[in-house]
Amino acid sequence: MRINTLEQLKEQRIQAEKTIQNRIFGQPSARPEVLIGMATCGIAAGAGEVKEAIEEELERLKLTDIKIVPVGCIGYCHSEPLVQVNLPGQPPVLYGNVDAAKAREIVKGHLVGQQLLADGITEPNFERVNLEEAKAFEPTGQRKQLRIALRNCGVIDPTSIDEYIAGHGYEALGKALTQMTPETVIDTVKRSGLRGRGGGGFPTGLKWEFTRKSRPGVQKYIFCNADEGDPGAFMDRSVLEGDPHSVLEAMAIGGYAIGASTGVIYIRAEYPLAIKRLKTAIAQAKEYGLLGGNLFGTGFNFDIELRYGAGAFVCGEETSLINSAEGKRGEPSNKPPFPSESGFWGQPTCVNNVETYANVAPIILNGGDWFAAIGTERSKGTKVFALAGKVNNVGLVEVPMGTTLREIIYEIGGGIKDGHRFKAVQTGGPSGGVITEDYLDTPIDYESLKAIDSIMGSGGMIVMDETDCMVNIAKYYLEFTQDESCGKCTPCRVGTKRLHEILERITEGKAEMADIDKLTKLARTIKDAALCGLGQTAPNPVLSTLKFFENEYLQHIQEHYCATGSCKALVKYSIDKERCIGCTACAKACPVKCISGEVKKVHAIDQTKCIQCGACFTTCKFGAVIKP
Amino acid sequence: MPKTGVRAQTISVKDLPPEKFTRLDEYINSLPSTKGALIDIIYKAQEIFGFLPREVLLHIARKMGISGAEVFGVVSFYTNFTMNPQGLHTISVCMGTACFVKGAPALAQRLQEKLGIHEGETTKDGLFTLKNLRCVGACGLAPVVMIDDKIYGRLTVAELDQIIESYQKEAAGVAH
């Protein structure tokens, strides 16, 4: 089947709506459905077995009219695998931590018995709003989230183009091609205030305009940066796995706006499921005539091809990414010339990130002003964060710009895990910095995060508690950047190595006070002198932790003491004789059997054999194992 | 994480099966153009041979009409390519930040002790290759260890021990 006009597409939507009902807007469905979160993390947690169990049970009970829908990331990563039950006339119910046994229970108790089981959630803490109503969104109480980029993730079956069309999919492309000029498309995106979600925060509309105006008439390219390399960020993966068509549609719109007939998605080979979903989506879009030649009968041609990354963090930088897409070493090039003048094969090229694209279709459909009404003065719309680390509700969170860190961590994230105390949150991954308790009430946007020496980055948000050593964290990030430095420029290649060496000395208790000075000077030099974003931001974790946690650095250097016990060379586990009740739990947990003692008598650790793995420390329920 | 020093050394293997070269040639010939396709071709070669010995790199260079140094330069740049034979199973500890703060270093250290190898190396019996991995994006399951394509989440050192032993037992069972 081929869709040639916007009217045909709308007809297709009305047909498709009948099958998926109003699932997208969280309204009661007309026919029973079971949604299973089957993104990479869901599958890793066992969603496959859960799906099999539900299928078996439905088969056994001969319930043939119940539809099983594998969906993308639902966002409650801490409770994977997730199963959502939609019954006619009732609000959807979400079940977490489902295994095969519980899945059978859900089928028997809920689908057949119509009874809400004890741990079902009927009010998820995000708003599945109708996008036209998003402007009026008021964060209240538990409902802090607003999903624009993630609007379809965890709702539709990502392998079905019809389910995407049911939520007004490809209508923005149809509208752009048939009712707007490339200039008005660019103007709409400019007015929306959308900025690059990959980390840079450059205005998207402006980037499109530059590429459009650059060297008129020559072949141009539009790129999707899907090389999500920031450790601790997984929103791009979730969008690609849960809603691949939204990226394809936006790339076609962007291609029309800048005057490109070819789009390239540069994707990490480490995301096999995302690649599979993209391939399926591209084939479906071609079959429907929504990609390929003469789209919507307007004569506009647009095709998308995939290029695979091969494991290099620096390839997230646009000039490196382009070099890598050409089959070369992914080294960055000097700017200028910018890719908008000379990029892929020397032609004008526009590179945008996955999440940026995920915002485009709603902007075209609802207008730039609609999007600009959400967020803060200079940062518009919403931002997806991958909330992880020592927080109760690990998961994907999408909030309007201007939401505070405290709201994200405590209200959406459910606070710090195991009753520990909040210490810091790292945003922006290896290019970012830490934010301490004093700044938790900062409204999040590009400028305010920068003002407190951190960055928005791609949206990784790692929460740390008092058991995390900040020097060790800085060392971790430097180890990462040092490893991932492409080696082209000296400040980055040699500088990050030296930074890492100094940090290593500090964590081993072998540093001197002069090292702090060296650290700061070197960090500033690298920032100024490195060729690309990787090097220029690599020292940020060091400078930021040094600024906020200087006394931890001093403790390591002067007292050879790491208060958290994270630094292996400085840690020494021992047993508190007062507290030990001789339960033997620590001895059982010890992988090298270095803990001795009889039942109900005080135990002891043989320091010569101890590998400082901390198994005893985490096992002891009585706080009898102490460190450092 | 200990450093492995030079990431790649060219290994020479003289007696590679000719049919594998034929398969690689068929793939290269099937491409509309080799322009920009070097990384795809290297991926294919690694899939066919399991790793990338010197002869294969030179073969690709000749076939594409580029220098061996260019192929070597690309192979050594990217972490997904390896010039060393790989073990039957690849164990990767996720070193993303979420996994790091939730205990991945202890898992990595335990693996090195248990298997007696460093990151990037293969056990003598050829059963395991140890690698570090930069974030599988399953941060909700941190800490994560991946063995081949299977992801084990929320792991403790003790559980990891059991998993490794189950692979070892399985391999021993096959051998008998």
Side-chain angles (χ1 to χ4, degrees):
Chain A
M1 192 204 57
R2 201 189 144 89
I3 292 170
N4 291 314
T5 62
L6 195 51
E7 285 63 43
Q8 280 177 2
L9 179 69
K10 284 179 179 164
E11 235 162 71
Q12 181 72 16
R13 185 192 82 216
I14 293 162
Q15 289 303 315
E17 270 176 353
K18 283 183 193 149
T19 60
I20 92 157
Q21 303 301 336
N22 292 321
R23 209 192 297 150
I24 289 189
F25 305 130
Q27 284 159 12
S29 57
R31 114 181 198 184
E33 283 177 327
V34 182
L35 274 55
I36 306 170
M38 306 234 358
T40 295
C41 42
I43 293 170
E49 288 98 81
V50 168
K51 184 164 172 263
E52 268 171 38
I54 293 177
E55 279 164 353
E56 273 172 30
E57 201 63 17
L58 291 177
E59 173 100 344
R60 200 174 62 80
L61 297 166
K62 307 235 172 333
L63 297 168
T64 45
D65 63 329
I66 295 174
K67 196 176 166 200
I68 297 178
V69 190
V71 296
C73 176
I74 297 176
Y76 279 47
C77 306
H78 55 286
S79 302
E80 299 268 22
L82 294 161
V83 170
Q84 185 179 320
V85 178
N86 295 349
L87 285 182
Q90 291 174 24
V93 180
L94 186 65
Y95 292 99
N97 296 314
V98 180
D99 55 13
K102 195 168 161 192
R104 293 199 173 88
E105 224 174 282
I106 292 170
V107 173
K108 270 183 266 176
H110 195 142
L111 277 166
V112 180
Q114 308 266 318
Q115 286 290 314
L116 174 66
L117 304 185
D119 61 342
I121 308 168
T122 49
E123 294 243 339
N125 70 349
F126 49 80
E127 195 85 51
R128 288 267 183 225
V129 292
N130 185 322
L131 287 180
E132 286 97 45
E133 293 162 9
K135 197 154 90 172
F137 176 75
E138 284 290 331
T140 50
Q142 283 298 307
R143 297 173 88 85
K144 298 271 179 199
Q145 295 200 55
L146 172 64
R147 300 201 159 187
I148 298 175
L150 297 178
R151 63 195 178 281
N152 290 324
C153 284
V155 181
I156 63 165
D157 177 352
T159 60
S160 158
I161 189 170
D162 283 328
E163 296 214 346
Y164 179 70
I165 288 174
H168 297 267
Y170 288 104
E171 269 172 45
L173 176 62
K175 183 181 171 185
L177 293 184
T178 56
Q179 297 165 15
M180 297 164 88
T181 63
E183 285 78 13
T184 40
V185 172
I186 289 174
D187 190 53
T188 307
V189 176
K190 272 167 85 178
R191 260 222 315 274
S192 75
L194 176 65
R195 294 167 66 175
R197 298 290 194 249
F202 191 81
T204 306
L206 213 54
K207 206 179 214 177
W208 286 14
E209 189 174 40
F210 286 153
T211 324
R212 170 156 195 88
K213 287 190 174 159
S214 161
R215 294 158 61 194
V218 305
Q219 164 83 10
K220 294 175 186 178
Y221 293 98
I222 187 152
F223 264 63
C224 173
N225 180 353
D227 187 57
E228 184 171 55
D230 254 17
F234 51 96
M235 61 282 295
D236 292 349
R237 175 178 68 71
S238 299
V239 169
L240 294 168
E241 288 176 1
D243 192 16
H245 284 286
S246 69
V247 176
L248 305 184
E249 183 184 2
M251 286 181 75
I253 294 169
Y256 172 68
I258 67 164
S261 60
T262 303
V264 177
I265 302 178
Y266 183 87
I267 183 166
R268 306 178 73 183
E270 287 90 335
Y271 283 172
L273 186 62
I275 292 172
K276 201 173 140 198
R277 295 269 160 88
L278 274 174
K279 282 183 172 166
T280 310
I282 290 172
Q284 289 171 341
K286 279 190 179 157
E287 195 198 322
Y288 273 41
L290 298 166
L291 278 182
N294 194 19
L295 304 185
F296 290 94
T298 59
F300 174 65
N301 305 324
F302 191 75
D303 260 319
I304 290 181
E305 48 188 81
L306 299 183
R307 298 269 161 161
Y308 305 113
F313 178 64
V314 71
C315 289
E317 205 278 339
E318 56 183 3
T319 57
S320 307
L321 183 150
I322 290 167
N323 281 331
S324 182
E326 291 177 1
K328 299 188 214 136
R329 288 166 73 97
E331 287 170 343
S333 321
N334 278 318
K335 291 197 266 193
F338 287 91
S340 57
E341 296 154 39
S342 174
F344 193 48
W345 302 123
Q347 305 297 72
T349 303
C350 177
V351 185
N352 293 123
N353 154 274
V354 173
E355 193 194 330
T356 315
Y357 281 126
N359 283 298
V360 168
I363 290 173
I364 298 297
L365 276 182
N366 301 319
D369 295 332
W370 164 81
F371 193 78
I374 306 161
T376 64
E377 198 195 331
R378 292 179 64 192
S379 301
K380 302 302 187 187
T382 56
K383 174 80 190 98
V384 182
F385 291 100
L387 189 59
K390 308 286 179 64
V391 63
N392 279 316
N393 305 341
V394 171
L396 270 195
V397 166
E398 183 171 351
V399 289
M401 294 278 188
T403 307
T404 66
L405 276 168
R406 192 184 297 282
E407 286 171 309
I408 294 178
I409 295 167
Y410 285 91
E411 293 177 40
I412 300 170
I416 310 302
K417 220 171 159 57
D418 302 329
H420 280 292
R421 217 166 40 92
F422 172 84
K423 184 169 184 178
V425 55
Q426 166 90 20
T427 66
S431 309
V434 292
I435 298 168
T436 56
E437 193 154 15
D438 296 345
Y439 299 95
L440 277 184
D441 291 312
T442 312
I444 298 181
D445 62 19
Y446 291 97
E447 275 71 31
S448 57
L449 283 183
K450 211 170 170 188
I452 54 173
D453 288 332
S454 191
I455 59 163
M456 180 88 79
S458 57
M461 198 174 259
I462 310 285
V463 179
M464 295 171 216
D465 64 16
E466 80 274 8
T467 63
D468 293 307
C469 167
M470 289 299 139
V471 187
N472 196 30
I473 295 288
K475 189 179 88 169
Y476 162 78
Y477 279 116
L478 255 297
E479 160 125 20
F480 179 85
T481 41
Q482 189 230 135
D483 202 37
E484 293 294 339
S485 168
C486 79
K488 189 174 182 180
C489 74
T490 320
C492 183
R493 182 182 66 245
V494 184
T496 55
K497 189 162 177 61
R498 297 291 167 260
L499 274 184
H500 181 252
E501 281 169 3
I502 299 173
L503 290 169
E504 197 144 73
R505 281 209 295 278
I506 297 176
T507 56
E508 282 172 0
K510 292 175 187 162
E512 297 160 5
M513 278 308 286
D515 281 326
I516 295 269
D517 248 8
K518 282 186 199 161
L519 203 60
T520 329
K521 267 190 198 150
L522 184 55
R524 298 217 171 106
T525 311
I526 299 170
K527 264 179 97 78
D528 288 342
L531 176 63
C532 81
L534 188 148
Q536 286 155 10
T537 59
N540 285 355
V542 180
L543 290 171
S544 165
T545 50
L546 201 54
K547 178 174 172 188
F548 294 112
F549 297 97
E550 192 185 2
N551 73 353
E552 271 186 45
Y553 279 84
L554 298 181
Q555 267 181 352
H556 280 76
I557 297 172
Q558 294 170 329
E559 300 163 37
H560 303 285
Y561 176 75
C562 171
T564 66
S566 300
C567 296
K568 287 266 150 72
L570 306 178
V571 77
K572 220 171 123 182
Y573 290 96
S574 57
I575 289 178
D576 185 341
K577 291 193 173 83
E578 305 280 307
R579 288 185 180 166
C580 179
I581 62 150
C583 71
T584 75
C586 59
K588 280 181 197 143
C590 177
V592 291
K593 306 289 166 222
C594 73
I595 304 180
S596 56
E598 288 167 39
V599 180
K600 293 189 179 165
K601 285 194 180 144
V602 173
H603 282 50
I605 297 176
D606 182 348
Q607 297 296 345
T608 58
K609 284 192 200 158
C610 177
I611 56 163
Q612 285 95 21
C613 70
C616 53
F617 182 80
T618 41
T619 307
C620 183
K621 289 195 182 91
F622 307 96
V625 178
I626 45 178
K627 69 174 181 178
Chain B
M1 284 175 283
K3 296 297 298 174
T4 47
V6 182
R7 197 187 268 155
Q9 273 173 334
T10 4
I11 287 198
S12 180
V13 186
K14 301 279 181 227
D15 50 354
L16 289 160
E19 63 270 19
K20 290 192 172 175
F21 283 103
T22 316
R23 267 178 68 197
L24 181 59
D25 287 347
E26 278 166 9
Y27 173 74
I28 298 174
N29 294 337
S30 76
L31 297 170
S33 152
T34 57
K35 188 188 174 201
L38 180 56
I39 290 176
D40 292 340
I41 292 170
I42 297 170
Y43 261 123
K44 194 70 189 179
Q46 183 160 291
E47 184 194 312
I48 293 171
F49 290 92
F51 68 111
L52 299 161
R54 181 189 297 173
E55 286 71 18
V56 174
L57 301 188
L58 293 175
H59 182 82
I60 293 172
R62 277 194 293 271
K63 190 83 188 152
M64 293 180 70
I66 56 178
S67 74
E70 194 175 326
V71 180
F72 179 85
V74 169
V75 166
S76 60
F77 185 83
Y78 295 101
T79 47
N80 290 1
F81 299 137
T82 173
M83 286 178 258
N84 295 319
Q86 300 294 288
L88 187 61
H89 301 291
T90 303
I91 309 180
S92 323
V93 182
C94 178
M95 278 291 168
T97 321
C99 290
F100 180 80
V101 300
K102 283 203 168 167
L107 296 177
Q109 198 194 349
R110 181 66 191 146
L111 277 173
Q112 291 182 11
E113 283 162 11
K114 201 167 168 73
L115 303 177
I117 50 172
H118 289 299
E119 192 227 332
E121 294 175 354
T122 302
T123 51
K124 280 206 184 94
D125 59 5
L127 191 55
F128 297 113
T129 298
L130 203 54
K131 279 186 181 166
N132 282 338
L133 184 84
R134 295 296 189 196
C135 201
V136 285
C139 306
L141 302 175
V144 166
V145 169
M146 206 163 136
I147 303 184
D148 302 327
D149 289 334
K150 194 165 163 56
I151 293 176
Y152 296 88
R154 297 174 187 138
L155 267 191
T156 63
V157 170
E159 283 166 356
L160 180 64
D161 275 359
Q162 283 177 3
I163 292 168
I164 298 301
E165 278 154 26
S166 74
Y167 275 88
Q168 285 168 334
K169 271 183 201 149
E170 195 195 312
V174 172
H176 284 303

